[in-house]
Amino acid sequence: MTSPLQVAVEAAQAAGRIQRERADCIGEIRYKGDINPVTEVDLLCEKEIIDRIHKAFPGHAVLAEESGETVGHADHQWVIDPLDGTINYAHGYPCYCVSIAYRHADETVVGVVYNPSLDELFVAEKGKGATMNGKPIAVSPLANLKQSLLVTGFAYDIHTATHNNLDHFINFIGACQAVRRAGSAALDLCYTAMGRFEGFWELKLNTWDYAAGVLILQEAGGRVTRFDGTPFQYGDREILTSNGLIHDAMIAVLKKGNSRGTLMK
């Protein structure tokens, strides 16, 4: 019998092939806002993934970035970002991925993220650890924030919103070794899971941005909370993740920020 893990892996790799094949011919670019693009490739990848899921599990519900929510069995939901890092992809910058999560009874139990540019396949099953290309991964052992490499991102409304993460970015620049802004939250989570980064924080994320990556990070030994250290819940819009060892130090830096309020839901 086909398993959700097998379907997620095969669908992610299929969508990744589309991204590679269309990298020099992405077609029409539309915009959901002033700077939030959708390419033909986003739509092709999403259709490929959903078709594979519905072929294997016709009764399952789907939440996808471009097509929204498809009603199905309440205990089985797939959460899909067909092309995380669309701006990067549209500009030919090779930092983007496919993200697929499977949730059973309101718990994420499978997470798959595939980076076609580097052929990196991140996989996690609840309680079974996390891997990259079949090899176990684990978070960084570094315990000093000053020596840590962090990563973050900014929402599409950065030009107009006062709650924009710039204050936190400035504070972290002075508190750690360096901060990167790569443009793919799913890969940021995976790279924290495998120790390339010690920590990641971001505001205004959607569930498809992090559903798979959070499980991969947790199964690799990482810690996930809200900015203030309270438990992270599916549906939250702010996220703080780390190797666990620098987590409290990151919370202390976030408390210095001037952002207006938090976005819990």
Side-chain angles (χ1 to χ4, degrees), residues 235-252:
D236 285 349
R237 302 213 55 206
E238 64 174 40
I239 189 169
L240 168 62
T241 75
S242 77
N243 61 2
L245 301 174
I246 64 165
H247 208 86
D248 290 342
M250 290 187 71
I251 292 171

Side-chain angles (χ1 to χ4, degrees), residues 62-65 68-69 77-82 84 99-103 108 110-113 185-186 189 203-215 232-239 264-265:
V62 171
L63 175 62
E65 179 176 8
E69 190 167 7
Q77 185 190 50
W78 295 78
V79 185
I80 302 163
D81 192 337
D84 187 41
S99 177
I100 303 173
Y102 167 66
R103 289 172 56 79
T108 304
V110 170
V112 174
V113 173
L189 285 162
L203 288 165
K204 302 181 182 179
L205 291 175
N206 294 296
T207 51
W208 50 76
D209 295 314
Y210 60 69
V214 163
L215 179 64
F232 180 81
Q233 299 179 22
Y234 181 78
D236 285 349
R237 302 213 55 206
E238 64 174 40
I239 189 169
M264 297 303 185
K265 292 288 186 182

